[in-house]
Amino acid sequence: KQEQIHVSNDKIIIEIEGASWASYTDTNSMDPLLDETANGLEITPDSTNDVHSGDIVAYTPTWDNSLIVHRITEIGEDEYGWYAIVKPDNSTNNTDKIRFNQIKFITIGVLY
């Protein structure tokens, strides 16, 4: 919200409870928005109500313990419950179906 942003001559303060700082590797998957020169602000979602289509999320894939950053393109429910379809901005073919427990962070801002 606007009242959480304070600008002065020598600094900007943004009041966001639980926010953390993120940096990104140069995979080109989220170009042009995210690359190695971008700095992200992230929060940890408390529930599926905090996650929306269009959000950029960092999640742990089922095949690895690394974090992948992709955009949510669809949210739905199936026989196993809540899911999201995610894909990189710079690809039309790569998609993953993820569950809420795989989502570690939601990107709420990007600084360059």
Side-chain angles (χ1 to χ4, degrees), residues 65-100:
N65 285 331
S66 63
L67 280 179
I68 296 177
V69 178
H70 286 165
R71 186 180 302 275
I72 294 177
T73 60
E74 178 185 333
I75 292 175
E77 293 221 8
D78 62 15
E79 64 272 15
Y80 301 107
W82 186 97
Y83 72 85
I85 302 297
V86 295
K87 70 177 229 47
D89 284 358
N90 201 20
S91 173
T92 56
N93 299 338
N94 277 345
T95 63
D96 277 331
K97 186 176 190 178
I98 63 171
R99 304 294 171 173
F100 178 74

Side-chain angles (χ1 to χ4, degrees), residues 15-68:
E15 298 173 6
I16 303 170
E17 188 174 324
S20 60
W21 191 262
S23 59
Y24 305 97
T25 56
D26 189 19
T27 65
N28 298 318
S29 70
M30 290 298 291
D31 283 350
L33 182 64
L34 300 176
D35 63 21
E36 77 276 2
T37 64
N39 298 286
L41 298 174
E42 300 176 328
I43 59 169
T44 302
D46 292 325
S47 74
T48 57
N49 293 330
D50 296 332
V51 184
H52 305 91
S53 186
D55 283 350
I56 297 171
V57 295
Y59 67 96
T60 305
T62 56
W63 66 87
D64 195 358
N65 285 331
S66 63
L67 280 179
I68 296 177

